[in-house]
Amino acid sequence: MHSTLNRRQFLSVSALTLTAAGLAGCSTAGNKTPSFVRPSSAAVSGAEAKRRSTGVIVQRAMTAEPVTLDLGGKTAKTWAYRGASATKPLRGNVGDTLKVAFTNDLSEPTSVHWHGLALRNDMDGVPSLTQDAVKPGGSFDYEFTLPESGTFWFHPHVGTQQDRGLYAPLIIDDPNEKGDYDKEWVIVLDDWLDGITATPDEVMKELGQGMMDHDSGGHGDMDMGPMRMGNTLMGATSPLLGGDAGDVYYPLYLINGKPANDPQTFAAKPGERIRLRIINAGGDTAFRFGVTEHELTITHSDGFPVKPFKAESIVLGMGERYDAVVSAGDGTFAVIAEALGKQDQALAVLRTGSGSAPAKDVKLPQQKSPATADSLKAASSVALPKRAVDRTLSLELTGGMEKYDWAINGKRMNMDKPMRDALGIVEGERVALEFKNSTEMWHPMHLHGHTYQHSGGGPRKDTSIVVPGTTLRVEFDADNPGRWLSHCHNVYHGEAGMMTTIAYQVN
């Protein structure tokens, strides 16, 4: 995971799009235009009807609206959901039907993407692809079966809206799961700038201007650490991410909506086992997460169980989720999410006894290498059955910040024409994706509507970090018909066009 940072790439942005060179089967015989399954096709409703259903309906109302937040004494005007937040998840049991009456009270169109769920395609929340955006003053009824248990979350899929306060957890329980813990703590990590230093749209405009040559600009020694330049960050590096760690300046880092000078406190008793459900809802930041003086036992990755793995800390890219269990000690302990490469952190407090609250700049030890997805193995109950791969898509991650031309195989997605470079697959296939990262930036890759497994018995996931100079191979079964999106889960990279459509071909 080693890479040399090119100074001309210090603003590089990572939003990724799936596209494949020489894709076999993307055209029918005679090079005719392939016919694809649409979100409204009978195949989509047919797949939904086959899901296990409890018959229970969970009804919720949720509104996207402007709000004013107090972030540790700083006032931020932003957008958020009424009816759900970092500390107010939506929740149901696997097999329940979730019905969300959604209203848009914003000044812009919006949508809701249910991140990580293999749900029905027409509820996936991608405007121009799976649904129309919900116009200002409009509404939309999301309704789908909760397909599997685990830790999930939801957010918009329009522009840079996710980098505001529009996100919340979705927790799906399995009543038959025998959990070896006493309490649960849902922990949402975030990097924050909206209403403090700029709006996300202003940041996107600044990034979109690309990289100027600062080699002779007298900006100091890059080895001195990251330096703020407007709303961007120069020289943020991390060996855990293979070089460039991120390019956006964030004045605050949050845990459950609270900054380090006003941390959330979780109360427990000494010896209690606490299940942590950790979600990285950030826009441009990977976090190294841990609890001082405590060992984590990693139990789930992106909602799916893994063989228990003990770790001092764990790295989460944007969109990733990990569950871990800690046995609470006696005292007061810092819960830390270190913003990798950015020399800042988010903080919360675990309190089981007496003692003063930890200082906001307390450091997370690193005596051992942090856990990553590469450290984990899927539990046998969720591992994909062994079978031959029918189709391999080789995807080279290309581009750089100088021209702001991040892409896959040199192609950037146009959301006005989301089917232009669609990748065709056929229901029933085992599909392998090979992500070759030829850039100098790490990319957190997310696949909608499906979950995949890392090769070699690795974890089941829907979002994975791909560091520079490496190739990540994952496999999934094409068992959820419709059109799906794949992209890098960096807010600004995705908005730049690094995403693509995977579409089921009509046989």
Side-chain angles (χ1 to χ4, degrees), residues 57-97:
I57 298 176
V58 179
Q59 293 185 308
R60 297 290 185 268
M62 192 169 73
T63 301
E65 62 183 4
V67 300
T68 300
L69 302 179
D70 179 0
L71 299 176
K74 295 183 178 181
T75 299
K77 292 185 177 180
T78 187
W79 297 344
Y81 294 129
R82 184 189 342 138
S85 67
T87 56
K88 188 177 181 180
L90 298 185
R91 194 159 200 153
N93 289 333
V94 61
D96 290 353
T97 298

Side-chain angles (χ1 to χ4, degrees), residues 114-400:
W114 310 90
H115 186 113
L117 289 187
L119 79 173
R120 57 181 300 150
N121 182 266
D122 54 352
M123 296 289 158
D124 192 55
V126 182
S128 301
L129 189 65
T130 62
Q131 73 165 103
D132 293 331
V134 183
K135 297 179 180 180
S139 62
F140 185 85
D141 292 332
Y142 289 94
E143 180 177 344
F144 53 89
T145 303
L146 300 177
E148 57 261 324
S149 61
T151 302
F152 304 94
W153 65 302
F154 53 92
H155 55 81
H157 221 288
V158 176
T160 62
Q161 291 179 4
Q162 186 206 309
D163 212 20
R164 298 179 185 263
L166 294 164
Y167 59 79
L170 171 62
I171 307 300
I172 305 177
D173 297 302
D174 182 351
N176 297 320
E177 182 184 71
K178 187 176 181 180
D180 185 17
Y181 56 93
D182 304 298
K183 290 187 173 182
E184 177 188 278
W185 188 7
V186 180
I187 296 176
V188 182
L189 315 178
D190 194 17
D191 43 19
W192 190 277
L193 55 83
D194 192 35
I196 303 294
T197 53
T199 68
D201 286 344
E202 290 169 340
V203 174
M204 183 67 203
K205 182 178 180 180
E206 189 170 336
L207 289 168
Q209 295 172 356
M211 164 83 181
M212 294 183 295
D213 189 349
H214 291 283
D215 288 347
S216 58
H219 289 279
D221 187 348
M222 294 285 285
D223 293 333
M224 295 298 290
M227 298 174 62
R228 179 184 178 185
M229 300 180 63
N231 294 305
T232 63
L233 203 60
M234 176 177 69
T237 63
S238 169
L240 293 172
L241 301 175
D244 193 338
D247 304 298
V248 178
Y249 170 76
Y250 289 94
L252 297 173
Y253 294 90
L254 312 179
I255 291 181
N256 289 348
K258 287 183 169 291
N261 68 336
D262 182 29
Q264 183 186 54
T265 298
F266 185 86
K269 296 178 181 178
E272 285 189 320
R273 291 173 58 80
I274 306 168
R275 179 178 185 170
L276 309 178
R277 296 181 180 264
I278 313 153
I279 302 168
N280 183 356
D284 181 69
T285 305
F287 291 99
R288 183 173 72 93
F289 176 89
V291 182
T292 58
E293 301 181 47
H294 286 73
E295 183 178 59
L296 305 174
T297 300
I298 312 299
T299 61
H300 295 74
S301 174
D302 289 357
F304 288 94
V306 297
K307 295 179 180 179
F309 185 86
K310 297 185 182 299
E312 179 185 60
S313 61
I314 189 163
V315 173
L316 296 93
M318 295 84 78
E320 284 191 291
R321 293 93 59 213
Y322 288 100
D323 291 17
V325 174
V326 297
S327 295
D330 188 355
T332 304
F333 307 96
V335 178
I336 297 172
E338 174 193 347
L340 288 177
K342 299 185 178 182
Q343 296 187 359
D344 208 341
Q345 64 185 27
L347 176 71
V349 177
L350 170 62
R351 180 179 289 278
T352 66
S354 60
S356 58
K360 68 177 184 179
D361 58 352
V362 62
K363 300 301 180 185
L364 181 63
Q366 188 172 336
Q367 303 299 320
K368 301 177 181 179
S369 296
T372 65
D374 291 340
S375 311
L376 306 176
K377 296 292 184 181
S380 58
S381 60
V382 299
L384 290 179
K386 292 184 179 180
R387 57 167 287 187
V389 170
D390 301 296
R391 189 185 301 268
T392 298
L393 309 183
S394 298
L395 311 171
E396 184 178 8
L397 315 187
T398 60

